């Protein structure tokens, strides 16, 4: 019985950890390598602010009480990235999958957020 509980917790957190392994290096890259010239915004201050935004959003995504806010911020950010990739003619399918995976990972961890409250 204890093994089932451990396995359940592990499987519940696995998608969130995988998503985090994408967002954190992306945020650190934006902060540490802020003078990238191939981006749509070449201002290094905006790149650093975007990196900080990603780190804060990821932390909120991982914390149970702020999972909905973190998920919303990360999904909104990646939706903008999808539109930017479409505008620049780059492949955008992976970015769409990341939006869906972020929402799916938060649903697995806290499904009651996605169900409307029913009145008795």
């Amino acid at each position: 019985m204890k093994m089932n509980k451990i396995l359940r917790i592990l499987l519940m957190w696995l998608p969130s950890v995988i998503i985090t392994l994408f967002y954190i290096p992306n945020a650190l890259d934006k902060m540490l390598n802020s003078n990238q010239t191939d981006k749509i915004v070449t201002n290094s201050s905006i790149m650093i602010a975007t990196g900080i935004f990603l780190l804060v959003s990821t932390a909120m995504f991982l914390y149970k009480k702020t999972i909905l806010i973190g998920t919303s911020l990360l999904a909104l950010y990646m939706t903008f990235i999808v539109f930017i990739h479409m505008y620049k003619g780059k492949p955008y399918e992976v970015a769409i999958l990341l939006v869906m995976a972020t929402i799916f990972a938060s649903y697995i961890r806290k499904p009651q957020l996605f169900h409307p409250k029913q009145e008795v």
Side-chain angles (χ1 to χ4, degrees):
M1 191 68 171
K2 185 168 174 100
M3 184 65 171
N4 285 343
K5 185 176 181 179
I6 293 171
L7 186 62
R8 182 175 182 256
I9 291 172
L10 179 69
L11 291 176
M12 187 172 61
W13 274 92
L14 187 63
S16 296
V17 170
I18 293 170
I19 295 291
T20 303
L21 289 176
F22 169 77
Y23 285 119
I24 289 180
N26 190 358
L28 292 176
D29 181 51
K30 289 187 184 328
M31 290 170 52
L32 300 176
N33 190 14
S34 62
N35 54 357
Q36 300 172 5
T37 57
D38 62 335
K39 302 295 181 185
I40 199 162
V41 176
T42 57
N43 189 345
S44 64
S45 300
I46 293 176
M47 293 299 283
I48 292 171
T50 303
I52 292 170
F53 170 80
L54 278 174
L55 284 178
V56 170
S57 299
T58 304
M60 293 174 84
F61 170 72
L62 292 174
Y63 186 57
K64 189 173 185 173
K65 291 186 178 182
T66 59
I67 188 172
L68 186 61
I69 298 169
T71 302
S72 301
L73 292 174
L74 289 174
L76 183 67
Y77 169 77
M78 285 308 295
T79 302
F80 286 136
I81 297 301
V82 167
F83 290 135
I84 289 171
H85 280 221
M86 291 171 85
Y87 173 75
K88 290 184 95 178
K90 291 183 174 180
Y92 55 88
E93 292 83 5
V94 173
I96 291 174
L97 288 175
L98 281 168
V99 173
M100 293 171 33
T102 303
I103 295 168
F104 178 70
S106 83
Y107 175 76
I108 287 177
R109 281 184 30 226
K110 201 165 182 184
Q112 59 269 23
L113 289 175
F114 294 88
H115 298 290
K117 298 195 189 280
Q118 296 179 359
E119 296 181 26
V120 180

